[in-house]
Amino acid sequence: MLFRSDFVAEHGVRFVTTSAGDPTRFTAAFKEAGVTVFHVVPSLRGALKAVAAGVDGLVVEGNEGGGFKAPDGASTMVLLPLIASQVDVPIIAAGGICDGRSMAAAMVLGADGVQMGTRMVSAAESPVHDHWKQAIVDAAETDTVFLNRFGRPGLRALRTELTARLEHDDQVDLSVFGRITDLYFGGDMEASIALTGQVAGRIDSVVSVRDIVHGTVREFRSTLDGLARYA
């Protein structure tokens, strides 16, 4: 695949996240082009490799998060403080975060910021079909499956008839993503894999991005104020 970091820089992009690959592949080129690079990591080993490659920061993502995952990854509760104790770059926490309480927990564990995936997929402005948003709202914390547990790439997705069958396969054929637009925009929940995190079990409504962000910040501050009584 032809890649030009200068193309990215010339179009005004100043910050990128890289993932699912070797951090040494593009980091130097991005940095030379003046682009800030954060690399998504599922392990301490991956974090140390990314820092050695010269990244500006890390997105530390536990395997309770939705999407592509390391089959042998750890939860955010374990991964975040471990990596934070071993690196000296900014950390964005991901996986299991949907509100101010989980944001506060991430900060206590060593993060400098947070990333929300499933919460934003379910936002009112999200372009995905309402069927997917409602499925997130209706989901319990146990309503995701981990696919390719003994293969690669690992995937966490919403439990459907399709993914419940695929859960038992040693290796899921990624051609299953061939009808992804029928799921994303057509609302056919059996057409493909709806990448969704366990935090779906904590999401009970579809609200605007504005409400998500402002509500998160308010709850984050009130949570920290509540913790102050233990100081």
Side-chain angles (χ1 to χ4, degrees), residues 61-66 69 74-77 94-96 144 156 196-199:
E61 186 166 5
N63 68 356
E64 67 266 57
K69 294 284 169 287
S75 69
T76 302
M77 177 69 80
T144 64
R156 185 172 297 283
T196 304
Q198 290 178 328
V199 78

Side-chain angles (χ1 to χ4, degrees), residues 133-153:
K133 297 179 188 181
Q134 191 60 45
I136 291 173
V137 170
D138 293 340
E141 77 281 5
T142 54
D143 284 337
T144 64
V145 298
F146 197 95
L147 308 179
N148 283 346
R149 188 173 297 276
F150 302 105
R152 289 188 183 277

Side-chain angles (χ1 to χ4, degrees), residues 5-24:
S5 58
D6 57 335
F7 177 86
V8 175
E10 287 167 4
H11 283 75
V13 177
R14 291 293 177 262
F15 179 94
V16 301
T17 58
T18 54
S19 65
D22 186 347
T24 65

Side-chain angles (χ1 to χ4, degrees), residues 7 42 44 53 59 101 106 108 112 121 145 147 173-174 181 206 214 220:
F7 177 86
L44 175 60
V59 179
R101 294 179 71 184
V108 171
D112 299 289
V121 169
V145 298
L147 308 179
D173 187 343
L174 294 187
T181 57
V206 173
H214 284 264
F220 168 71

